[in-house]
Amino acid sequence: MGSLIIRLVGLFYLVVSLLSFIGVNAMHGRESSGYEAVKGIILIHGKSHIGRIDDDFVCATLDWWPPQKCDYGTCSWGHASLLNLDLNNKILLNAVKAFSPLKIRLGGTLQDKVIYGTEDSPKPCTPFVNSSSEIFGFTEGCLPMHRWDELNSFFQKAGAKVIFGLNALAGRTLQSGSAVGPWNSSNAKSFIRYTVRKNYSIAGWEFGNELCGSGVGTSVSADQYASDIAALRNIIHDVYRGIRHKPLVIAPGGFYDANWFQEFVNKSGKSVDVVSHHIYNLGAGVDEHLIERILDPSYLDGVASTFSGLKNILQNSATKAKAWVGEAGGAYNSGHHLVSDAFVYSFWYLDQLGMSAVYDTRTYCRQSLVGGNYGLLNTSTFVPNPDYYSALLWHRLMGVRVLATSFYGTKKIRAYAHCAKQSKGITILLLNLDNSTSVHAKVDFTYSRTGATAREEYHLTAQDRDLHSQTTLLNGEVLTVSAAGDIPPLNPLYVNPSMPIIVGPLSVVFAHIPDVDIPACS
């Protein structure tokens, strides 16, 4: 009987080996034939983890921009604003529900000009209007409470975790590029009271948008910002009195400036739970060299100093606050059509997720869920763009513990690894930035025991190997939303663990190795 079982087990792995060999080679036969193959080694340092992320690390933004928002002669926002987004669209609902949950950060440039249309608001509730004489190019605009009700109904159906960005310019005077004076919190306090009275769940209140450091449009000093955050903390303590789970207090939601952030963290004390910053490291959306930068490992490495700088400030201060990326669109001024909404952007985006996690960034909010040329979803149809599937695979596969990972063989491979999410083992993310080389990567570990269970692989490629394509292939098959608006299943390819991980030219691979036993994941 024992010998029969051994033979059956052997036959099973022979079949797995054969099927995985056929599957991988059939896929790469289409994608990589005729390309040079190089060998590489992924070394996972498994003694302990080097960082942590939130379980709901992946976050996306919704913005206030009206249809009249234009960049370089192109108006790319359509009806993607919080004020006019079609909340009845099935694809939009299903796209958010697929994450279970997705953090959604509500905010952006115009948040600091938003009036909340509560009963005691002193101003009429009118929409944003173009005005070249106004800061940010628009007049003040208003969020009617009936629209806030509609938004929260959608968020509850979708299972979203909401981060709301408050107007931090209220009451201040603009003088020579600076916003002077204390924050007038009366309208925000009224809005927070309304939100609590309606029993709407808010995971965090964020204060201000890009007002730190030298600011965008205008700025607030670190000392004043810390004072205002203390005031916001007191409001939340008061309004949420008797409620067990209070929302996070998040700030400053702007570009990293070491001196400003250091002073703010030192002076804000326990008032702030999350220190958030923004990333637009690729340049202007109109720039013609975006793809060159995305595929340049040395350029991608450049932003590591921002992540490490903020990590060091937080570690070396008395605060218990954690770092978030509160908004990241890569290319500013709404991105670039067929770049930031196409397959090539997944190399930048996934590298950002991987790198930020290494430096203990707990949440990463992508600009945007919908809107501009960098939405995870198409602005008019809500059909997922390639980065949506990249984000969903990360969310489902990459666990909270981050592992130290090294790759040897070529500089064109970006490699990251985490303990697996909601399962045993680890998940490795590999990005091949080379357009002519296929990489055959072996996995090696320090401090581990491995078994022989089949490896689960998810290979993402562009349709017709066109980096500008908005269609993604998973393991050689096109990902499409169903006629009913359902997000397609993301099924793995099962590969014999003795085989190397084959990373085709300009492709992304997630590899889940279920039976690796390392101390960092125990």
Side-chain angles (χ1 to χ4, degrees):
M1 183 68 178
S3 61
L4 177 60
I5 293 174
I6 291 171
R7 286 199 300 272
L8 288 173
V9 170
L11 180 61
F12 169 77
Y13 282 113
L14 178 62
V15 171
V16 169
S17 298
L18 183 60
L19 290 176
S20 62
F21 179 82
I22 292 171
V24 171
N25 280 279
M27 181 180 65
H28 289 289
R30 290 196 298 269
E31 300 294 329
S32 309
S33 59
Y35 293 106
E36 179 187 356
V38 300
K39 294 181 179 180
I41 296 174
I42 311 153
L43 180 61
I44 311 294
H45 307 270
K47 187 175 182 179
S48 60
H49 62 275
I50 59 169
R52 293 185 71 91
I53 60 173
D54 288 344
D55 195 53
D56 47 10
F57 172 75
V58 172
C59 165
T61 68
L62 288 172
D63 213 309
W64 294 100
W65 290 121
Q68 294 78 24
K69 158 67 172 171
C70 306
D71 300 282
Y72 319 115
T74 301
C75 308
S76 59
W77 282 87
H79 286 78
S81 165
L82 286 161
L83 298 175
N84 57 32
L85 185 67
D86 179 7
L87 302 174
N88 295 313
N89 186 279
K90 287 184 178 179
I91 299 177
L92 176 63
L93 177 65
N94 289 336
V96 177
K97 286 176 72 173
F99 281 82
S100 301
L102 177 66
K103 274 193 184 116
I104 300 182
R105 179 250 188 181
L106 313 180
T109 300
L110 294 184
Q111 80 178 51
D112 292 313
K113 304 199 77 172
V114 175
I115 299 164
Y116 315 115
T118 55
E119 289 181 359
D120 54 354
S121 173
K123 297 182 179 180
C125 201
T126 56
F128 294 106
V129 176
N130 276 101
S131 175
S132 58
S133 63
E134 293 270 352
I135 186 173
F136 310 133
F138 286 87
T139 63
E140 288 182 329
C142 179
L143 172 61
M145 290 303 94
H146 68 83
R147 180 59 177 180
W148 185 227
D149 296 338
E150 292 169 357
L151 285 163
N152 278 280
S153 175
F154 172 81
F155 296 142
Q156 288 170 3
K157 288 178 192 173
K161 295 181 71 171
V162 177
I163 311 297
F164 190 94
L166 292 165
N167 178 350
L169 285 182
R172 305 191 203 272
T173 303
L174 301 183
Q175 297 179 1
S176 303
S178 297
V180 180
W183 175 51
N184 183 337
S185 63
S186 57
N187 188 221
K189 187 172 183 178
S190 176
F191 176 57
I192 294 170
R193 284 194 183 281
Y194 178 90
T195 300
V196 172
R197 190 167 66 248
K198 297 286 281 191
N199 202 30
Y200 295 150
S201 179
I202 303 296
W205 294 99
E206 187 176 30
F207 186 69
N209 183 84
E210 297 177 358
L211 301 175
C212 55
S214 57
V216 175
T218 190
S219 63
V220 177
S221 71
D223 181 67
Q224 183 63 60
Y225 222 97
S227 175
D228 297 331
I229 274 292
L232 175 58
R233 168 69 78 180
N234 289 336
I235 289 170
I236 289 173
H237 181 76
D238 177 40
V239 177
Y240 283 83
R241 191 180 304 276
I243 298 174
R244 183 178 178 185
H245 295 292
K246 293 178 174 58
L248 299 169
V249 176
I250 305 168
F255 293 103
Y256 178 69
D257 176 299
N259 293 332
W260 194 101
F261 272 67
Q262 182 74 69
E263 183 181 356
F264 172 72
V265 168
N266 289 344
K267 292 182 175 179
S268 61
K270 296 180 180 178
S271 296
V272 66
D273 300 304
V274 172
V275 176
S276 58
H277 68 107
H278 293 180
I279 298 282
Y280 285 88
N281 63 316
L282 294 175
V286 74
D287 198 302
E288 295 298 323
H289 301 285
L290 295 176
I291 291 181
E292 293 172 31
R293 294 182 186 133
I294 292 167
L295 300 179
D296 180 353
S298 61
Y299 191 90
L300 295 178
D301 285 337
V303 76
S305 59
T306 295
F307 297 125
S308 63
L310 181 53
K311 178 183 178 181
N312 289 336
I313 287 175
L314 296 178
Q315 279 186 335
N316 296 318
S317 68
T319 186
K320 293 184 178 179
K322 306 302 181 186
W324 283 20
V325 171
E327 180 183 315
Y332 57 83
N333 289 345
S334 305
H336 189 119
H337 182 45
L338 297 183
V339 176
S340 53
D341 53 6
F343 184 83
V344 69
Y345 227 51
S346 281
F347 295 110
W348 169 80
Y349 180 40
L350 288 171
D351 190 65
Q352 281 280 297
L353 297 184
M355 185 188 301
S356 64
V358 165
Y359 291 101
D360 223 28
T361 302
R362 299 304 176 94
T363 287
Y364 191 105
C365 299
R366 166 63 179 262
Q367 173 85 339
S368 62
L369 177 61
V370 188
N373 288 315
Y374 37 35
L376 296 179
L377 307 176
N378 182 282
T379 301
S380 56
T381 66
F382 300 105
V383 168
N385 285 323
D387 280 1
Y388 173 85
Y389 295 114
S390 295
L392 188 55
L393 279 171
W394 174 289
H395 177 75
R396 291 179 177 178
L397 296 171
M398 305 293 272
V400 299
R401 284 180 279 190
V402 186
L403 304 174
T405 308
S406 304
F407 188 86
Y408 303 96
T410 169
K411 292 181 180 180
K412 285 287 192 173
I413 287 284
R414 312 288 284 183
Y416 300 98
H418 288 215
C419 299
K421 190 167 187 176
Q422 298 178 344
S423 62
K424 294 180 180 179
I426 68 166
T427 302
I428 298 170
L429 168 62
L430 298 170
L431 313 173
N432 188 354
L433 307 181
D434 197 290
N435 65 359
S436 61
T437 302
S438 179
V439 178
H440 294 211
K442 281 281 191 180
V443 186
D444 199 2
F445 300 91
T446 62
Y447 304 98
S448 76
R449 284 189 299 109
T450 58
T453 305
R455 189 171 63 231
E456 299 164 6
E457 294 184 0
Y458 304 79
H459 295 252
L460 298 177
T461 52
Q463 189 172 45
D464 300 323
R465 298 194 72 254
D466 178 8
L467 290 178
H468 297 283
S469 175
Q470 295 182 289
T471 300
T472 297
L473 277 61
L474 173 60
N475 297 330
E477 301 296 328
V478 173
L479 291 171
T480 54
V481 173
S482 74
D486 296 323
I487 301 301
L490 305 179
N491 297 321
L493 188 68
Y494 292 94
V495 181
N496 185 302
S498 66
M499 293 180 62
I501 301 172
I502 300 175
V503 193
L506 297 177
S507 74
V508 172
V509 178
F510 288 90
H512 174 218
I513 306 175
D515 58 356
V516 173
D517 183 10
I518 57 177
C521 299
S522 300

